[in-house]
Amino acid sequence: QDNRISIWSAGDVGNVGLSGEYQGEPQLLCDIRHNGDVMDMQFLDQERIVVASSTGTVTIFRHHQNNQTLSANQRWEKAHYHVDQDTSCGGAACTGVICNNPEIVTVGEDGRINLFRADQKDAVRTIDNADSSTLHAVTFLHTTEILTVNSIGQLKIWDLRQQRNEPSQIFSLTGDRVPLHCVDRHPNQQHIVATGGQDGMLSIWDIRQGTMPVSLLNAHEAEMWEVHFHPSNPDHLFTCSEDGSLWHWDTSTDISEKPSFLHQGGRSTTYFSHSTINQSVVSAWLSNDPTKDRMEITNLIPNQTLSVNSLDILGPCLVYGTDAEAIYVNRQLFA
């Protein structure tokens, strides 16, 4: 009922226990009230955070590090709406936000795409009827191109230089129209994209060829809420799900060369053959090179039962949030 944006300090690396769990108490640095449910958020820069609300409003909050306070820096009221922007009840949830400072792209339940620029009062560009279904997530492919996923299993590429309100390309999962909830682009190879959706499957796409995914990988038993390539080590990918699992997908080395200690400690490990994937580039995500014909998958939280709603990674650090109203920090991903 009472939503807040909070900034925490998770302390320093020195306080890590044997299991990689952080030992000290995280400190709440500051928080601020937020109108509506927080649907998505992302740092724009070191001090500013862009937040998407279920009311359709998009807000930039500034973190003042000198006195540890948060303030609303800029707000676009009802950036997303069903009927019109002026009616009191017309807001539509803003479901996703992505930043490439100073540009901010938002998508929503109203099928609308907005391009904002920090420090500009009005939207730079709005594509009103970008989609007839809900847009669930968005990512930048290049500085002028974005990719959206929707509730009928489609990926669409939009070229923001074009004035046309039509996607430049459409991709789709065959037949089923399974809603897609999340998308991430490979940090070095912009043509490789990963998506996840309602059926828990992980789909890998090569947007240079075809309109269907190059591989479909069995993953979670319920909705996949988030997918992320590791930003500096993209042979590693992370997914989390309503089924309470958080999977680490590792394509970095051949399994046979790995010591078997990975099987200890209650981690379940499964392997998938890559033989079904089209030969195209030398990325482990797309190749069927015999030395990379297997992928190792580890469930990082084997006994979790409540939904894992969100995750992020940086260096050796993984952060995730669950329906247990808790945030977890694992600082030894690759230890």
Side-chain angles (χ1 to χ4, degrees):
Q1 299 302 309
D2 177 20
N3 294 302
R4 307 186 83 77
I5 303 291
S6 306
I7 294 201
W8 296 79
S9 163
D12 59 50
V13 167
N15 297 336
V16 177
L18 293 173
S19 65
E21 289 300 314
Y22 171 65
Q23 299 294 295
E25 281 293 307
Q27 297 293 311
L28 176 63
L29 298 179
C30 49
D31 64 0
I32 191 170
R33 289 199 59 165
H34 179 267
N35 193 12
D37 294 341
V38 176
M39 305 298 287
D40 197 8
M41 59 180 168
Q42 198 182 32
F43 277 97
L44 177 67
D45 55 27
Q46 291 287 323
E47 297 189 327
R48 291 179 294 176
I49 307 143
V50 183
V51 182
S53 172
S54 58
T55 65
T57 294
V58 177
T59 310
I60 302 181
F61 291 97
R62 186 180 286 278
H63 176 213
H64 306 275
Q65 292 170 3
N66 51 356
N67 61 356
Q68 292 304 346
T69 56
L70 274 166
S71 65
N73 178 243
Q74 194 167 351
R75 185 174 278 131
W76 292 283
E77 295 283 350
K78 290 211 188 120
H80 295 273
Y81 53 92
H82 283 307
V83 189
D84 62 72
Q85 239 167 333
D86 305 322
T87 51
S88 59
C89 58
C94 177
T95 50
V97 57
I98 192 82
C99 302
N100 185 15
N101 192 10
E103 298 193 318
I104 299 160
V105 173
T106 69
V107 295
E109 275 181 8
D110 53 357
R112 190 174 269 108
I113 298 172
N114 290 305
L115 171 63
F116 296 110
R117 205 163 272 134
D119 313 320
Q120 282 192 24
K121 194 161 67 72
D122 296 317
V124 178
R125 173 94 189 272
T126 295
I127 304 177
D128 271 328
N129 298 308
D131 214 302
S132 55
S133 59
T134 296
L135 290 168
H136 281 142
V138 58
T139 191
F140 274 100
L141 285 178
H142 303 282
T143 49
T144 57
E145 271 190 322
I146 58 166
L147 190 148
T148 58
V149 295
N150 70 13
S151 59
I152 56 170
Q154 293 175 321
L155 279 73
K156 296 184 181 180
I157 295 177
W158 306 83
D159 185 339
L160 298 173
R161 292 165 303 191
Q162 300 284 336
Q163 283 313 302
R164 308 181 305 129
N165 290 347
E166 302 287 328
S168 53
Q169 274 180 283
I170 300 179
F171 304 82
S172 57
L173 292 167
T174 50
D176 293 345
R177 300 200 156 202
V178 175
L180 291 171
H181 292 310
C182 52
V183 58
D184 197 28
R185 185 206 78 201
H186 191 289
N188 313 334
Q189 301 188 45
Q190 273 94 340
H191 54 276
I192 300 176
V193 171
T195 63
Q198 190 164 301
D199 57 2
M201 297 277 279
L202 172 65
S203 307
I204 306 291
W205 310 69
D206 180 347
I207 58 172
R208 299 168 312 177
Q209 54 170 3
T211 56
M212 288 157 52
V214 290
S215 65
L216 286 168
L217 297 162
N218 276 313
H220 303 279
E221 291 167 16
E223 291 93 341
M224 186 189 297
W225 291 130
E226 194 119 44
V227 56
H228 277 300
F229 285 101
H230 191 287
S232 54
N233 200 346
D235 285 345
H236 299 266
L237 178 117
F238 298 83
T239 58
C240 65
S241 167
E242 180 73 26
D243 67 9
S245 60
L246 193 162
W247 284 19
H248 173 187
W249 306 70
D250 177 3
T251 62
S252 60
T253 49
D254 182 28
I255 302 302
S256 59
E257 298 164 10
K258 285 202 171 179
S260 62
F261 66 80
L262 280 168
H263 297 287
Q264 296 165 9
R267 296 178 174 197
S268 59
T269 307
T270 3
Y271 307 112
F272 286 120
S273 167
H274 268 271
S275 58
T276 54
I277 297 177
N278 305 338
Q279 178 71 50
S280 51
V281 298
V282 191
S283 164
W285 289 107
L286 303 182
S287 75
N288 55 8
D289 163 2
T291 61
K292 292 198 173 141
D293 66 343
R294 300 197 146 194
M295 181 174 345
E296 185 184 15
I297 299 145
T298 310
N299 182 9
L300 297 181
I301 33 178
N303 303 318
Q304 165 77 359
T305 52
L306 294 168
S307 174
V308 184
N309 302 318
S310 138
L311 72 94
D312 207 354
I313 38 206
L314 191 63
C317 198
L318 167 75
V319 179
Y320 58 95
T322 76
D323 268 357
E325 296 188 16
I327 296 164
Y328 299 85
V329 181
N330 176 343
R331 295 175 172 280
Q332 292 187 308
L333 262 188
F334 302 117

